[in-house]
Amino acid sequence: MKKIQQNLLNWFADNARDLPWRKTYSPYHVWISEIMLQQTQMDRVIDYFNRWMKQFPDIASITRSEEEKILKLWEGLGYYSRARNIFRTANILKEQHDGELPTEFKLLLQLPGIGKYTAGAIMSIAFNKEYTIVDANIERVFARLFNLAKSVKDKNTHHFIWEKAEELLPRGRTREFNQALMELGALVCIPKNPRCKVCPVSDFCQSLKKNVVHKRPVITKSSQTVFIEMATGILTHKGKIFIQKRKPKGVWANLWEFPGGRLEPGETPEMALIREYAEETQLQIGKLKKITTVKHSYTIYRVRLHCFLCSLEDDRFEPVLHTAQEYRLVNPAELSNYAFPAGHRKFIDHLKNSGTIF
Ligand code: SF4
């Protein structure tokens, strides 16, 4: 065990990536980076993190802002509940913890968006306290290192991995050790074609010894991918564009959007869009012009989004909102001030790049 620890720590000292939140290990930086890294690749997170810190250099600056601005900065990262939770947490910290992150695991767990993993990451990486963390990278490393013949999602296997991670934790070096394990999974013990020849723990790797690395970790089908077709349309009225703000609960809560939705069986995209406008706003639209189709993903869904321009059928503009909390009529240039879900943002970018309405 000692040798595994030492090899990993030495390797990390020489190979750790120069990441912005590793400069000072400030609890605020670690917290924001960990929330961003949930569900998002490191490469994308770095840009967002740097932009975030320019706009919100500390917890107090978040509390002085509005949720709308936070969502705008988060636009494109997906899983927007993360951004809303940061906003809520910052305000709780201001009111109950003197504007600082608490240094106790159980208090961290009470904050919105902070679960066992994130609390452990903050405790170990920011405060260097002895807390174990297990993420997908660590699961993969351990499944190979200990040649685990069952899926890492299996209850006993999961438990075994946590136990091993705790056993391996070196006193006083938690910060480096937890990161070393994750870094090993990200750079060396990668999902496909792991780089065993340069691995600092290859001497102890049981699946390498048994020549079954390619079979580890055991993969089971967890969530299936669902392909769906959707339609949306930008309604122009007297030179302005209709946008509506989604309700505060549910998917894409509080984000802005153009009306639209899923195609029902037998519907063309045009039929679906006319129906969705009527259902969501009671507006009768017509003169649909197909602009493009964009692809995007959210949770398990892979979406083909049919994008249109449209106008009112009879010039009667009396929207009644059924799925949104408010609407606005905005100039095309103002669209950049609002946060939209990824598919709608791609549609806007397409219109901008092709010079269609800007
Ligand atoms: Fe992963 Fe290969 Fe290292 Fe084993 S030897 S831990 S499979 S990189």
Side-chain angles (χ1 to χ4, degrees):
M1 286 294 186
K2 278 259 175 310
K3 197 79 180 108
I4 294 182
Q5 291 171 340
Q6 207 46 57
N7 288 9
L8 266 171
L9 289 169
N10 291 344
W11 174 83
F12 186 66
D14 294 339
N15 294 281
R17 285 171 292 181
D18 184 19
L19 301 174
W21 49 91
R22 283 184 180 159
K23 298 209 186 304
T24 60
Y25 288 117
S26 106
Y28 173 56
H29 286 191
V30 172
W31 168 45
I32 298 298
S33 67
E34 286 298 334
I35 300 290
M36 286 185 170
L37 284 165
Q38 295 167 2
Q39 321 279 357
T40 310
Q41 298 290 322
M42 175 75 78
D43 294 353
R44 296 189 66 218
V45 164
I46 292 172
D47 265 6
Y48 276 89
F49 179 88
N50 288 332
R51 276 197 283 135
W52 179 283
M53 288 305 157
K54 261 193 199 135
Q55 196 159 335
F56 303 115
D58 49 32
I59 292 170
S61 58
I62 301 176
T63 63
R64 289 193 297 271
S65 186
E66 293 153 10
E67 188 187 88
E68 187 101 20
K69 289 207 174 106
I70 310 263
L71 290 173
K72 179 65 195 158
L73 215 138
W74 204 268
E75 191 183 41
L77 258 192
Y79 295 93
Y80 291 86
S81 58
R82 296 181 295 174
R84 287 189 290 273
N85 282 335
I86 290 177
F87 185 62
R88 285 171 60 206
T89 292
N91 283 290
I92 293 171
L93 296 178
K94 179 184 167 191
E95 271 149 36
Q96 299 175 17
H97 299 280
D98 296 327
E100 303 283 348
L101 278 154
T103 54
E104 272 184 56
F105 184 76
K106 65 174 192 304
L107 292 179
L108 285 170
L109 277 182
Q110 290 169 12
L111 297 167
I114 299 188
K116 191 177 166 194
Y117 170 80
T118 307
I122 295 170
M123 289 304 293
S124 62
I125 299 172
F127 302 125
N128 199 24
K129 295 268 167 65
E130 276 158 38
Y131 280 83
T132 299
I133 49 176
V134 174
D135 71 346
N137 280 325
I138 296 181
E139 283 176 345
R140 185 172 57 255
V141 170
F142 278 31
R144 289 171 174 161
L145 198 55
F146 299 106
N147 190 23
L148 305 179
K150 283 197 175 158
S151 159
V152 294
K153 303 295 171 215
D154 171 82
K155 215 169 122 208
N156 291 336
T157 312
H158 188 72
H159 188 68
F160 175 88
I161 291 174
W162 272 90
E163 269 187 0
K164 281 289 170 200
E166 264 161 28
E167 232 174 86
L168 275 170
L169 213 58
R171 287 192 163 271
R173 306 285 307 273
T174 314
R175 171 183 289 155
E176 291 96 332
F177 188 75
N178 280 347
Q179 291 189 92
L181 271 176
M182 291 192 283
E183 199 82 330
L184 187 78
L187 301 180
V188 177
C189 197
I190 48 184
K192 280 187 188 154
N193 305 321
R195 302 165 60 216
C196 303
K197 286 199 173 119
V198 296
C199 177
V201 292
S202 59
D203 286 351
F204 312 94
C205 182
Q206 294 173 25
S207 59
L208 183 66
K209 215 173 275 170
K210 297 197 168 129
N211 201 21
V212 289
V213 169
H214 58 292
K215 292 186 180 164
R216 303 288 180 259
V218 172
I219 307 286
T220 52
K221 266 198 174 168
S222 49
S223 58
Q224 82 216 86
T225 301
V226 178
F227 294 90
I228 54 174
E229 303 253 333
M230 298 181 86
T232 191
I234 291 186
L235 169 66
T236 51
H237 179 65
K238 296 187 176 162
K240 299 221 169 179
I241 288 173
F242 178 86
I243 58 174
Q244 60 178 9
K245 189 176 187 181
R246 292 178 68 91
K247 291 196 168 160
K249 288 236 158 71
V251 72
W252 301 320
N254 287 340
L255 262 64
W256 291 82
E257 64 169 10
F258 313 114
R262 261 201 225 196
L263 274 60
E264 289 186 352
E267 274 187 334
T268 62
E270 288 83 354
M271 286 157 70
L273 187 58
I274 291 168
R275 176 184 51 74
E276 288 284 346
Y277 255 95
E279 285 174 5
E280 292 183 23
T281 65
Q282 291 187 12
L283 292 171
Q284 298 302 319
I285 58 156
K287 297 168 217 152
L288 273 62
K289 184 179 170 202
K290 177 84 187 268
I291 300 298
T292 186
T293 304
V294 300
K295 289 183 184 167
H296 73 101
S297 309
Y298 72 98
T299 61
I300 59 166
Y301 298 106
R302 302 291 171 271
V303 183
R304 262 168 60 84
L305 180 66
H306 301 273
C307 305
F308 295 84
L309 288 182
C310 57
S311 48
L312 290 170
E313 184 70 354
D314 56 8
D315 234 34
R316 208 158 48 90
F317 183 74
E318 290 165 7
V320 179
L321 302 184
H322 291 286
T323 58
Q325 50 182 306
E326 67 169 286
Y327 80 86
R328 286 184 195 171
L329 283 172
V330 298
N331 292 318
E334 289 176 302
L335 289 177
S336 57
N337 299 336
Y338 296 87
F340 288 87
H344 291 201
R345 173 54 60 194
K346 280 186 183 173
F347 181 19
I348 295 168
D349 289 345
H350 175 89
L351 291 169
K352 211 182 259 179
N353 296 337
S354 60
T356 312
I357 57 168
F358 293 87

